[in-house]
Amino acid sequence: MADQASSSITVNANKASVMAVIADFESYPEWASMIRTVTVDETGPDGRAKQVSFVLDAGVLKDEYSLAYDWQGDDRVDWHLVKGKALKSQEGSYVLEDAGGGTLVTYRLAVDLTIPMLGMFKRKAEKVIIDTALKGLKKRVEG
């Protein structure tokens, strides 16, 4: 698997509130600027999405892909790529920790593309995706 990029942000809300926004996939296009459409393909017994399909438009990278999710309460969610066109693999997670009156959210992401890309450009793209997602999540939760 490719190297993993990660970043963290503190959100002024409890873990359950943050995880509720993360789990609300249908609303992603409203706050995750690169996500155009989202479809929940399969739901688990806990009512949370088990497999989700996305249409991504990140300028130079456009793709349609599906991710499988593994929920661990309100503390963590992991995902991995099921299928994609431009994506060869994707593994990621949101890890939530109590931080005073808020929640420290850490987003980890490792992406591998079917098209060749220099490592430094791939890491930069991962960082932009992570930072955009964290800032959008914070704004959505605190909004």
Side-chain angles (χ1 to χ4, degrees):
M1 184 65 199
D3 291 336
Q4 205 172 57
S6 70
S7 189
S8 299
I9 198 166
T10 300
V11 178
N12 295 317
N14 62 32
K15 289 191 292 188
S17 297
V18 174
M19 194 58 85
V21 170
I22 292 169
D24 182 11
F25 290 102
E26 288 89 353
S27 295
Y28 275 36
E30 297 172 19
W31 61 268
S33 60
M34 297 177 225
I35 303 295
R36 295 296 169 240
T37 61
V38 180
T39 306
V40 175
D41 303 319
E42 187 180 342
T43 305
D46 61 357
R48 286 182 167 161
K50 194 171 176 182
Q51 187 167 318
V52 182
S53 294
F54 297 86
V55 175
L56 172 78
D57 185 350
V60 295
L61 177 62
K62 295 176 180 15
D63 199 8
E64 295 177 23
Y65 60 94
S66 296
L67 301 175
Y69 287 85
D70 179 23
W71 301 89
Q72 296 166 38
D74 287 331
D75 296 322
R76 181 181 181 122
V77 60
D78 299 300
W79 63 86
H80 67 271
L81 184 71
V82 175
K83 65 180 176 187
K85 294 178 181 175
L87 292 171
K88 187 178 354 179
S89 68
Q90 181 185 138
E91 290 185 12
S93 64
Y94 279 109
V95 179
L96 281 53
E97 301 172 60
D98 290 320
T103 301
L104 179 67
V105 181
T106 301
Y107 185 158
R108 296 186 178 102
L109 182 66
V111 173
D112 204 1
L113 302 172
T114 57
I115 56 171
M117 183 182 279
L118 289 175
M120 75 177 187
F121 291 121
K122 188 168 75 70
R123 285 187 294 280
K124 171 102 172 118
E126 288 170 343
K127 183 90 172 112
V128 167
I129 291 167
I130 290 169
D131 289 347
T132 302
L134 285 174
K135 289 174 186 166
L137 176 65
K138 179 179 176 70
K139 186 176 180 183
R140 180 74 175 195
V141 173
E142 295 177 357

